[in-house]
Amino acid sequence: MKLTPEEQDMLDGKYGKSTQKAIEILVALGTIYSAERLIPVTSVQVAGVSYANLGEAGLHFLAEMADGGGKARVLTTLNPAGMDIENWQALGISEAFAESQKRVLEAFARMNVITTCSCTPYLFGNTPHYGEHIAWAESSAVCYANSVLGARTNREGGPSALAAALTGSTPEYGYHLDENRKPFVTVEVNGRLVENHDFGALGKVIGQKLEAEGKKVVPYIRGVEKASVENLKSFCASIATYGGTALFHLEGITPEAAQMTPPEKTITVAQEEIDEANRSMNDATSEEVDFVSLGCPHLSIKEIARIAELLKGKKVTKEFWITTARPTKTIADMMGYSQIIEESGAKFATDTCCVVAPIKGRFKALATDSAKACYYAYAKNEFKTVLKPFDEVVEEALK
Ligand code: F3S
């Protein structure tokens, strides 16, 4: 790889040990993927934040990088942690876990990383513009950034995203290059798509069809007439989880789609397949549900407003987690939604989510509108699931 004099100085250790380690990671990655150079990035999202996933080894790596003097050179935010940083006791998180999780966040803070923990950084200011090169981890956010915002990122891992933050750069390969952003297959959708869980089911169907193509392919999708921000975040999370998809073009909706020619090779999706995907994520009955969670990916303020409207003057009968980013929660506080929600007995699980929090064994069945949450409930063998429209999930908590 060709390095600039500044990058060479980083590699020679002139910017300290952590920056040296960071650029070593990026050069190794670039060499594997035949990148010719590093390119500047404007934004980073780091995953691997929950102590439940990191363990002591991960925490040790982060502490070492912080001790080595590494500082983020660009706007860098974090994925959800394993607990609500303020409200962890109310969520039943142990003292020992909380201690370790705080040490993780402290290491990031020492590196000037913004310790706002969320998988929807694009909803509160880490919002790259069309064509910007960025380095994001978190599969749902990567898919949203590439497809909906038109920014350019590969699916980074935790260490490579942190390395990009400390150097302000990433190797130029994959989705940073025009040729890799072209669609490979057209997907014709014939279905009725209204709710987040419909988009989640569609993501599962398309994702699994693309997986069957044998490699990670960019689809050009037709037949979806409209989609809200909330629908799109649900779709991104699902197609990224079930198909490993990092970029799609949605005709008439996403920004690069207009520049692309739909490929001749076509696969179709029928309503029955979407219905079947929905059914496949319902293996529990309403009576079995003892845990309700909305906010995978993290809730927008519009969704929180709707929850408050549905819960006003009522009491929940089950553990109900409202998972969102802290800046969104702050807005909800100011708009009076948080008070209504908390008076109902529902709990904010800010900074975290039902997948990364250490809750295995506590609940039998989860009610959600998220296909991604269902995937992890099965993959981690944590609970059975009921997948429903947003409003009906809230009703589950009131039954
Ligand atoms: Fe976000 Fe957790 Fe879902 S990280 S996409 S809320 S699994």
Side-chain angles (χ1 to χ4, degrees), residues 157-219:
S160 66
L162 181 62
L166 301 187
T167 60
S169 61
T170 195
E172 187 181 37
Y173 72 97
Y175 295 113
H176 292 284
L177 300 170
D178 286 346
E179 65 259 33
N180 298 321
R181 299 182 68 85
K182 289 191 186 129
F184 172 86
V185 62
T186 298
V187 180
E188 291 280 359
V189 178
N190 300 298
R192 202 175 24 80
L193 301 157
V194 183
E195 299 270 357
N196 291 344
H197 83 298
D198 296 325
F199 280 85
L202 178 67
K204 179 175 183 183
V205 175
I206 298 179
Q208 288 178 334
K209 285 184 187 249
L210 296 178
E211 274 273 274
E213 294 287 324
K215 55 180 183 160
K216 306 272 178 272
V217 297
V218 178

Short mmCIF file of all heavy atoms in Angstrom, two decimals, residues 157-219:
data_model
loop_
_atom_site.label_atom_id
_atom_site.label_comp_id
_atom_site.label_asym_id
_atom_site.label_seq_id
_atom_site.Cartn_x
_atom_site.Cartn_y
_atom_site.Cartn_z
N GLY A 157 -15.37 -4.31 11.59
CA GLY A 157 -15.44 -4.97 12.89
C GLY A 157 -15.09 -3.94 13.96
O GLY A 157 -14.68 -2.81 13.62
N GLY A 158 -15.22 -4.31 15.21
CA GLY A 158 -14.90 -3.38 16.31
C GLY A 158 -13.48 -2.82 16.20
O GLY A 158 -13.29 -1.60 16.19
N PRO A 159 -12.44 -3.70 16.11
CA PRO A 159 -11.06 -3.18 16.07
C PRO A 159 -10.76 -2.32 14.84
O PRO A 159 -10.09 -1.29 14.95
CB PRO A 159 -10.20 -4.47 16.06
CG PRO A 159 -11.07 -5.50 16.69
CD PRO A 159 -12.47 -5.16 16.28
N SER A 160 -11.28 -2.70 13.66
CA SER A 160 -10.96 -1.91 12.47
C SER A 160 -11.67 -0.56 12.50
O SER A 160 -11.16 0.45 12.01
CB SER A 160 -11.27 -2.67 11.18
OG SER A 160 -12.66 -2.88 11.04
N ALA A 161 -12.88 -0.51 13.10
CA ALA A 161 -13.57 0.77 13.24
C ALA A 161 -12.81 1.67 14.21
O ALA A 161 -12.60 2.86 13.95
CB ALA A 161 -15.01 0.55 13.72
N LEU A 162 -12.36 1.09 15.33
CA LEU A 162 -11.60 1.89 16.29
C LEU A 162 -10.30 2.39 15.63
O LEU A 162 -9.90 3.55 15.81
CB LEU A 162 -11.28 1.07 17.54
CG LEU A 162 -10.51 1.82 18.63
CD1 LEU A 162 -11.31 3.01 19.16
CD2 LEU A 162 -10.14 0.89 19.79
N ALA A 163 -9.67 1.52 14.86
CA ALA A 163 -8.43 1.91 14.16
C ALA A 163 -8.71 3.08 13.21
O ALA A 163 -7.91 4.01 13.10
CB ALA A 163 -7.86 0.72 13.40
N ALA A 164 -9.86 3.05 12.54
CA ALA A 164 -10.22 4.15 11.64
C ALA A 164 -10.43 5.45 12.43
O ALA A 164 -10.05 6.53 11.99
CB ALA A 164 -11.50 3.80 10.88
N ALA A 165 -11.01 5.32 13.62
CA ALA A 165 -11.22 6.51 14.46
C ALA A 165 -9.88 7.14 14.87
O ALA A 165 -9.72 8.35 14.82
CB ALA A 165 -12.02 6.12 15.71
N LEU A 166 -8.92 6.28 15.25
CA LEU A 166 -7.65 6.81 15.77
C LEU A 166 -6.73 7.35 14.68
O LEU A 166 -5.82 8.14 14.96
CB LEU A 166 -6.92 5.72 16.57
CG LEU A 166 -7.68 5.14 17.78
CD1 LEU A 166 -6.80 4.21 18.60
CD2 LEU A 166 -8.26 6.23 18.67
N THR A 167 -6.96 6.93 13.44
CA THR A 167 -6.12 7.43 12.34
C THR A 167 -6.88 8.39 11.42
O THR A 167 -6.29 9.11 10.64
CB THR A 167 -5.63 6.26 11.46
OG1 THR A 167 -6.79 5.60 10.91
CG2 THR A 167 -4.80 5.26 12.24
N GLY A 168 -8.22 8.33 11.48
CA GLY A 168 -9.04 9.15 10.58
C GLY A 168 -9.06 8.61 9.17
O GLY A 168 -9.35 9.34 8.21
N SER A 169 -8.78 7.30 9.02
CA SER A 169 -8.72 6.75 7.65
C SER A 169 -9.15 5.29 7.61
O SER A 169 -9.29 4.64 8.66
CB SER A 169 -7.30 6.89 7.11
OG SER A 169 -6.41 6.15 7.94
N THR A 170 -9.34 4.80 6.39
CA THR A 170 -9.71 3.39 6.19
C THR A 170 -9.14 2.94 4.85
O THR A 170 -8.94 3.77 3.96
CB THR A 170 -11.26 3.25 6.23
OG1 THR A 170 -11.61 1.88 6.38
CG2 THR A 170 -11.92 3.76 4.95
N PRO A 171 -8.88 1.64 4.68
CA PRO A 171 -8.38 1.19 3.37
C PRO A 171 -9.45 1.33 2.28
O PRO A 171 -10.62 1.07 2.54
CB PRO A 171 -8.05 -0.29 3.60
CG PRO A 171 -8.15 -0.54 5.06
CD PRO A 171 -8.96 0.55 5.67
N GLU A 172 -9.01 1.72 1.11
CA GLU A 172 -9.95 1.94 0.01
C GLU A 172 -10.21 0.63 -0.74
O GLU A 172 -9.43 0.23 -1.60
CB GLU A 172 -9.37 2.98 -0.95
CG GLU A 172 -10.35 3.38 -2.03
CD GLU A 172 -9.76 4.40 -2.99
OE1 GLU A 172 -8.56 4.29 -3.31
OE2 GLU A 172 -10.49 5.29 -3.42
N TYR A 173 -11.27 -0.04 -0.37
CA TYR A 173 -11.68 -1.27 -1.08
C TYR A 173 -13.18 -1.43 -0.85
O TYR A 173 -13.83 -0.61 -0.18
CB TYR A 173 -10.89 -2.50 -0.57
CG TYR A 173 -11.28 -2.97 0.81
CD1 TYR A 173 -12.19 -4.03 0.99
CD2 TYR A 173 -10.77 -2.36 1.95
CE1 TYR A 173 -12.57 -4.45 2.26
CE2 TYR A 173 -11.14 -2.77 3.22
CZ TYR A 173 -12.04 -3.81 3.37
OH TYR A 173 -12.42 -4.22 4.61
N GLY A 174 -13.76 -2.48 -1.41
CA GLY A 174 -15.16 -2.82 -1.15
C GLY A 174 -16.12 -1.70 -1.54
O GLY A 174 -16.06 -1.14 -2.63
N TYR A 175 -17.00 -1.35 -0.62
CA TYR A 175 -18.09 -0.41 -0.91
C TYR A 175 -17.62 1.05 -1.03
O TYR A 175 -18.43 1.94 -1.28
CB TYR A 175 -19.20 -0.54 0.12
CG TYR A 175 -19.87 -1.90 0.07
CD1 TYR A 175 -19.74 -2.81 1.11
CD2 TYR A 175 -20.59 -2.28 -1.06
CE1 TYR A 175 -20.33 -4.06 1.04
CE2 TYR A 175 -21.18 -3.53 -1.14
CZ TYR A 175 -21.04 -4.42 -0.09
OH TYR A 175 -21.61 -5.66 -0.17
N HIS A 176 -16.31 1.29 -0.85
CA HIS A 176 -15.80 2.64 -1.10
C HIS A 176 -15.63 2.88 -2.60
O HIS A 176 -15.46 4.01 -3.04
CB HIS A 176 -14.46 2.84 -0.38
CG HIS A 176 -14.62 2.85 1.12
ND1 HIS A 176 -15.14 3.93 1.80
CD2 HIS A 176 -14.37 1.89 2.06
CE1 HIS A 176 -15.20 3.65 3.10
NE2 HIS A 176 -14.74 2.42 3.28
N LEU A 177 -15.61 1.80 -3.38
CA LEU A 177 -15.35 1.90 -4.82
C LEU A 177 -16.63 1.76 -5.63
O LEU A 177 -17.47 0.90 -5.34
CB LEU A 177 -14.37 0.78 -5.23
CG LEU A 177 -13.01 0.83 -4.51
CD1 LEU A 177 -12.21 -0.44 -4.80
CD2 LEU A 177 -12.22 2.06 -4.94
N ASP A 178 -16.76 2.61 -6.68
CA ASP A 178 -17.97 2.61 -7.51
C ASP A 178 -18.34 1.21 -8.01
O ASP A 178 -19.51 0.83 -7.98
CB ASP A 178 -17.75 3.50 -8.76
CG ASP A 178 -17.80 4.97 -8.39
OD1 ASP A 178 -18.25 5.29 -7.28
OD2 ASP A 178 -17.35 5.79 -9.23
N GLU A 179 -17.34 0.48 -8.49
CA GLU A 179 -17.66 -0.80 -9.15
C GLU A 179 -18.33 -1.81 -8.21
O GLU A 179 -19.06 -2.69 -8.66
CB GLU A 179 -16.42 -1.43 -9.83
CG GLU A 179 -15.31 -1.84 -8.87
CD GLU A 179 -14.17 -0.83 -8.85
OE1 GLU A 179 -14.46 0.38 -9.02
OE2 GLU A 179 -13.02 -1.25 -8.63
N ASN A 180 -18.07 -1.68 -6.91
CA ASN A 180 -18.66 -2.64 -5.96
C ASN A 180 -20.03 -2.21 -5.46
O ASN A 180 -20.66 -2.91 -4.67
CB ASN A 180 -17.72 -2.85 -4.78
CG ASN A 180 -16.40 -3.45 -5.23
OD1 ASN A 180 -16.39 -4.31 -6.11
ND2 ASN A 180 -15.31 -2.98 -4.68
N ARG A 181 -20.49 -1.05 -5.91
CA ARG A 181 -21.80 -0.56 -5.47
C ARG A 181 -22.89 -0.86 -6.50
O ARG A 181 -24.06 -0.55 -6.29
CB ARG A 181 -21.72 0.94 -5.15
CG ARG A 181 -20.73 1.22 -4.01
CD ARG A 181 -20.66 2.68 -3.63
NE ARG A 181 -21.86 3.17 -2.99
CZ ARG A 181 -22.14 3.08 -1.68
NH1 ARG A 181 -21.30 2.48 -0.86
NH2 ARG A 181 -23.27 3.57 -1.19
N LYS A 182 -22.47 -1.46 -7.62
CA LYS A 182 -23.46 -1.77 -8.66
C LYS A 182 -24.29 -2.97 -8.26
O LYS A 182 -23.78 -3.93 -7.67
CB LYS A 182 -22.73 -2.08 -9.97
CG LYS A 182 -22.10 -0.86 -10.59
CD LYS A 182 -21.64 -1.16 -12.00
CE LYS A 182 -20.88 0.02 -12.54
NZ LYS A 182 -19.59 -0.34 -13.10
N PRO A 183 -25.60 -2.96 -8.61
CA PRO A 183 -26.44 -4.12 -8.26
C PRO A 183 -26.11 -5.33 -9.12
O PRO A 183 -25.68 -5.20 -10.27
CB PRO A 183 -27.85 -3.61 -8.53
CG PRO A 183 -27.69 -2.53 -9.55
CD PRO A 183 -26.35 -1.90 -9.30
N PHE A 184 -26.34 -6.50 -8.53
CA PHE A 184 -26.02 -7.77 -9.19
C PHE A 184 -27.30 -8.50 -9.58
O PHE A 184 -27.32 -9.30 -10.50
CB PHE A 184 -25.19 -8.60 -8.20
CG PHE A 184 -24.94 -10.02 -8.62
CD1 PHE A 184 -23.86 -10.33 -9.43
CD2 PHE A 184 -25.77 -11.05 -8.18
CE1 PHE A 184 -23.62 -11.65 -9.81
CE2 PHE A 184 -25.54 -12.36 -8.55
CZ PHE A 184 -24.45 -12.66 -9.37
N VAL A 185 -28.38 -8.21 -8.87
CA VAL A 185 -29.63 -8.94 -9.12
C VAL A 185 -30.81 -7.99 -8.84
O VAL A 185 -30.73 -7.13 -7.95
CB VAL A 185 -29.71 -10.21 -8.23
CG1 VAL A 185 -29.72 -9.86 -6.76
CG2 VAL A 185 -30.93 -11.05 -8.54
N THR A 186 -31.87 -8.13 -9.66
CA THR A 186 -33.09 -7.36 -9.42
C THR A 186 -34.03 -8.20 -8.57
O THR A 186 -34.19 -9.40 -8.81
CB THR A 186 -33.78 -7.00 -10.76
OG1 THR A 186 -32.89 -6.19 -11.51
CG2 THR A 186 -35.07 -6.23 -10.54
N VAL A 187 -34.63 -7.56 -7.58
CA VAL A 187 -35.61 -8.27 -6.74
C VAL A 187 -36.97 -7.58 -6.95
O VAL A 187 -37.10 -6.39 -6.67
CB VAL A 187 -35.22 -8.21 -5.24
CG1 VAL A 187 -36.26 -8.94 -4.39
CG2 VAL A 187 -33.83 -8.79 -5.01
N GLU A 188 -37.93 -8.32 -7.49
CA GLU A 188 -39.29 -7.79 -7.71
C GLU A 188 -40.16 -8.17 -6.52
O GLU A 188 -40.38 -9.36 -6.27
CB GLU A 188 -39.92 -8.40 -8.96
CG GLU A 188 -39.29 -7.99 -10.27
CD GLU A 188 -39.77 -6.61 -10.75
OE1 GLU A 188 -40.61 -5.99 -10.06
OE2 GLU A 188 -39.26 -6.17 -11.80
N VAL A 189 -40.64 -7.17 -5.79
CA VAL A 189 -41.45 -7.46 -4.60
C VAL A 189 -42.93 -7.26 -4.93
O VAL A 189 -43.32 -6.21 -5.44
CB VAL A 189 -41.06 -6.52 -3.44
CG1 VAL A 189 -41.93 -6.78 -2.21
CG2 VAL A 189 -39.58 -6.69 -3.09
N ASN A 190 -43.72 -8.29 -4.68
CA ASN A 190 -45.17 -8.16 -4.82
C ASN A 190 -45.77 -8.42 -3.45
O ASN A 190 -46.09 -9.55 -3.11
CB ASN A 190 -45.69 -9.23 -5.80
CG ASN A 190 -45.07 -9.05 -7.17
OD1 ASN A 190 -45.25 -8.02 -7.80
ND2 ASN A 190 -44.29 -10.04 -7.59
N GLY A 191 -45.89 -7.37 -2.69
CA GLY A 191 -46.40 -7.58 -1.33
C GLY A 191 -46.93 -6.29 -0.74
O GLY A 191 -46.70 -5.21 -1.27
N ARG A 192 -47.65 -6.44 0.35
CA ARG A 192 -48.24 -5.31 1.04
C ARG A 192 -47.36 -4.99 2.24
O ARG A 192 -47.23 -5.81 3.15
CB ARG A 192 -49.66 -5.70 1.48
CG ARG A 192 -50.61 -4.55 1.74
CD ARG A 192 -52.01 -5.08 2.06
NE ARG A 192 -52.00 -6.45 2.57
CZ ARG A 192 -51.72 -6.77 3.82
NH1 ARG A 192 -51.46 -5.85 4.71
NH2 ARG A 192 -51.74 -8.05 4.20
N LEU A 193 -46.74 -3.81 2.20
CA LEU A 193 -45.77 -3.48 3.24
C LEU A 193 -46.20 -2.21 3.95
O LEU A 193 -46.23 -1.15 3.34
CB LEU A 193 -44.39 -3.27 2.60
CG LEU A 193 -43.86 -4.49 1.84
CD1 LEU A 193 -42.84 -4.09 0.81
CD2 LEU A 193 -43.26 -5.50 2.81
N VAL A 194 -46.54 -2.34 5.21
CA VAL A 194 -47.02 -1.17 5.96
C VAL A 194 -46.20 -0.97 7.23
O VAL A 194 -45.65 0.10 7.47
CB VAL A 194 -48.52 -1.34 6.33
CG1 VAL A 194 -49.03 -0.08 7.04
CG2 VAL A 194 -49.37 -1.62 5.09
N GLU A 195 -46.15 -2.02 8.02
CA GLU A 195 -45.57 -1.92 9.37
C GLU A 195 -44.09 -2.30 9.38
O GLU A 195 -43.61 -2.99 8.47
CB GLU A 195 -46.31 -2.91 10.29
CG GLU A 195 -47.78 -2.62 10.43
CD GLU A 195 -48.08 -1.68 11.59
OE1 GLU A 195 -47.15 -1.29 12.32
OE2 GLU A 195 -49.26 -1.33 11.74
N ASN A 196 -43.40 -1.90 10.44
CA ASN A 196 -41.98 -2.26 10.58
C ASN A 196 -41.77 -3.77 10.46
O ASN A 196 -40.81 -4.23 9.85
CB ASN A 196 -41.45 -1.84 11.96
CG ASN A 196 -41.34 -0.34 12.10
OD1 ASN A 196 -41.39 0.39 11.12
ND2 ASN A 196 -41.21 0.13 13.34
N HIS A 197 -42.68 -4.54 11.07
CA HIS A 197 -42.45 -6.00 11.05
C HIS A 197 -42.66 -6.58 9.65
O HIS A 197 -42.07 -7.59 9.30
CB HIS A 197 -43.30 -6.72 12.10
CG HIS A 197 -44.70 -7.00 11.67
ND1 HIS A 197 -45.58 -5.99 11.35
CD2 HIS A 197 -45.36 -8.15 11.49
CE1 HIS A 197 -46.74 -6.53 10.99
NE2 HIS A 197 -46.63 -7.84 11.07
N ASP A 198 -43.47 -5.90 8.79
CA ASP A 198 -43.59 -6.33 7.39
C ASP A 198 -42.24 -6.14 6.69
O ASP A 198 -41.79 -7.01 5.93
CB ASP A 198 -44.62 -5.48 6.63
CG ASP A 198 -46.03 -5.64 7.16
OD1 ASP A 198 -46.37 -6.76 7.58
OD2 ASP A 198 -46.80 -4.65 7.15
N PHE A 199 -41.63 -5.00 6.95
CA PHE A 199 -40.32 -4.73 6.34
C PHE A 199 -39.26 -5.68 6.89
O PHE A 199 -38.34 -6.08 6.19
CB PHE A 199 -39.93 -3.26 6.54
CG PHE A 199 -40.62 -2.34 5.57
CD1 PHE A 199 -41.90 -1.85 5.83
CD2 PHE A 199 -40.01 -1.99 4.37
CE1 PHE A 199 -42.54 -1.02 4.92
CE2 PHE A 199 -40.65 -1.17 3.45
CZ PHE A 199 -41.92 -0.68 3.73
N GLY A 200 -39.41 -6.02 8.16
CA GLY A 200 -38.49 -7.00 8.75
C GLY A 200 -38.64 -8.36 8.08
O GLY A 200 -37.66 -9.03 7.76
N ALA A 201 -39.89 -8.76 7.86
CA ALA A 201 -40.14 -10.05 7.20
C ALA A 201 -39.61 -10.01 5.77
O ALA A 201 -39.00 -10.98 5.29
CB ALA A 201 -41.63 -10.36 7.23
N LEU A 202 -39.82 -8.89 5.08
CA LEU A 202 -39.29 -8.75 3.71
C LEU A 202 -37.76 -8.87 3.72
O LEU A 202 -37.17 -9.54 2.86
CB LEU A 202 -39.70 -7.40 3.12
CG LEU A 202 -39.18 -7.13 1.70
CD1 LEU A 202 -39.82 -8.08 0.70
CD2 LEU A 202 -39.43 -5.67 1.29
N GLY A 203 -37.12 -8.24 4.71
CA GLY A 203 -35.66 -8.33 4.82
C GLY A 203 -35.20 -9.75 5.01
O GLY A 203 -34.19 -10.18 4.46
N LYS A 204 -35.98 -10.50 5.78
CA LYS A 204 -35.62 -11.92 5.99
C LYS A 204 -35.73 -12.69 4.67
O LYS A 204 -34.82 -13.44 4.31
CB LYS A 204 -36.54 -12.54 7.06
CG LYS A 204 -36.22 -14.00 7.30
CD LYS A 204 -37.02 -14.61 8.43
CE LYS A 204 -36.56 -16.06 8.63
NZ LYS A 204 -37.29 -16.79 9.64
N VAL A 205 -36.83 -12.49 3.95
CA VAL A 205 -37.04 -13.23 2.69
C VAL A 205 -35.94 -12.88 1.68
O VAL A 205 -35.29 -13.76 1.11
CB VAL A 205 -38.43 -12.92 2.07
CG1 VAL A 205 -38.58 -13.58 0.71
CG2 VAL A 205 -39.54 -13.37 3.02
N ILE A 206 -35.72 -11.58 1.47
CA ILE A 206 -34.71 -11.18 0.47
C ILE A 206 -33.32 -11.62 0.94
O ILE A 206 -32.53 -12.16 0.16
CB ILE A 206 -34.74 -9.66 0.20
CG1 ILE A 206 -36.10 -9.24 -0.36
CG2 ILE A 206 -33.63 -9.27 -0.76
CD1 ILE A 206 -36.23 -7.74 -0.63
N GLY A 207 -33.04 -11.39 2.21
CA GLY A 207 -31.73 -11.76 2.74
C GLY A 207 -31.43 -13.23 2.52
O GLY A 207 -30.34 -13.59 2.06
N GLN A 208 -32.40 -14.08 2.80
CA GLN A 208 -32.16 -15.52 2.64
C GLN A 208 -32.02 -15.89 1.16
O GLN A 208 -31.24 -16.76 0.81
CB GLN A 208 -33.29 -16.31 3.31
CG GLN A 208 -33.16 -16.22 4.84
CD GLN A 208 -34.27 -16.93 5.59
OE1 GLN A 208 -35.37 -17.08 5.07
NE2 GLN A 208 -33.99 -17.32 6.82
N LYS A 209 -32.77 -15.21 0.28
CA LYS A 209 -32.62 -15.49 -1.16
C LYS A 209 -31.23 -15.06 -1.64
O LYS A 209 -30.60 -15.74 -2.45
CB LYS A 209 -33.70 -14.75 -1.96
CG LYS A 209 -35.07 -15.41 -1.85
CD LYS A 209 -36.10 -14.73 -2.71
CE LYS A 209 -37.49 -15.30 -2.45
NZ LYS A 209 -38.03 -16.08 -3.55
N LEU A 210 -30.75 -13.95 -1.13
CA LEU A 210 -29.42 -13.48 -1.54
C LEU A 210 -28.33 -14.40 -1.00
O LEU A 210 -27.35 -14.68 -1.69
CB LEU A 210 -29.18 -12.04 -1.06
CG LEU A 210 -30.09 -10.97 -1.65
CD1 LEU A 210 -29.77 -9.61 -1.06
CD2 LEU A 210 -29.98 -10.91 -3.18
N GLU A 211 -28.52 -14.86 0.21
CA GLU A 211 -27.57 -15.82 0.80
C GLU A 211 -27.45 -17.05 -0.10
O GLU A 211 -26.37 -17.57 -0.32
CB GLU A 211 -28.07 -16.28 2.17
CG GLU A 211 -27.68 -15.39 3.30
CD GLU A 211 -26.31 -15.75 3.86
OE1 GLU A 211 -26.27 -16.62 4.72
OE2 GLU A 211 -25.31 -15.15 3.42
N ALA A 212 -28.60 -17.47 -0.64
CA ALA A 212 -28.63 -18.65 -1.49
C ALA A 212 -27.88 -18.41 -2.80
O ALA A 212 -27.48 -19.36 -3.48
CB ALA A 212 -30.07 -19.06 -1.78
N GLU A 213 -27.66 -17.14 -3.16
CA GLU A 213 -26.87 -16.83 -4.36
C GLU A 213 -25.39 -17.17 -4.13
O GLU A 213 -24.60 -17.18 -5.05
CB GLU A 213 -26.98 -15.34 -4.71
CG GLU A 213 -28.37 -14.90 -5.14
CD GLU A 213 -28.74 -15.40 -6.53
OE1 GLU A 213 -27.85 -15.46 -7.39
OE2 GLU A 213 -29.90 -15.77 -6.72
N GLY A 214 -25.04 -17.38 -2.88
CA GLY A 214 -23.70 -17.88 -2.58
C GLY A 214 -22.68 -16.82 -2.26
O GLY A 214 -21.56 -17.11 -1.90
N LYS A 215 -22.98 -15.55 -2.45
CA LYS A 215 -22.02 -14.51 -2.06
C LYS A 215 -22.79 -13.26 -1.68
O LYS A 215 -23.97 -13.12 -1.97
CB LYS A 215 -21.01 -14.22 -3.16
CG LYS A 215 -21.63 -13.85 -4.49
CD LYS A 215 -20.54 -13.60 -5.51
CE LYS A 215 -21.19 -13.14 -6.82
NZ LYS A 215 -20.35 -12.46 -7.71
N LYS A 216 -22.11 -12.34 -1.05
CA LYS A 216 -22.76 -11.11 -0.63
C LYS A 216 -23.03 -10.26 -1.87
O LYS A 216 -22.10 -9.77 -2.49
CB LYS A 216 -21.87 -10.33 0.34
CG LYS A 216 -21.41 -11.17 1.53
CD LYS A 216 -22.41 -11.10 2.67
CE LYS A 216 -22.00 -11.97 3.83
NZ LYS A 216 -22.47 -13.34 3.77
N VAL A 217 -24.30 -10.10 -2.25
CA VAL A 217 -24.59 -9.36 -3.47
C VAL A 217 -25.42 -8.11 -3.16
O VAL A 217 -26.16 -8.06 -2.18
CB VAL A 217 -25.35 -10.23 -4.51
CG1 VAL A 217 -24.50 -11.40 -4.95
CG2 VAL A 217 -26.67 -10.70 -3.95
N VAL A 218 -25.28 -7.12 -4.06
CA VAL A 218 -26.05 -5.88 -3.92
C VAL A 218 -27.34 -6.05 -4.72
O VAL A 218 -27.30 -6.27 -5.92
CB VAL A 218 -25.24 -4.69 -4.47
CG1 VAL A 218 -26.06 -3.40 -4.39
CG2 VAL A 218 -23.92 -4.54 -3.73
N PRO A 219 -28.51 -5.98 -4.08
CA PRO A 219 -29.75 -6.11 -4.83
C PRO A 219 -30.31 -4.75 -5.27
O PRO A 219 -30.15 -3.74 -4.59
CB PRO A 219 -30.69 -6.77 -3.82
CG PRO A 219 -30.22 -6.27 -2.49
CD PRO A 219 -28.74 -6.02 -2.62
#
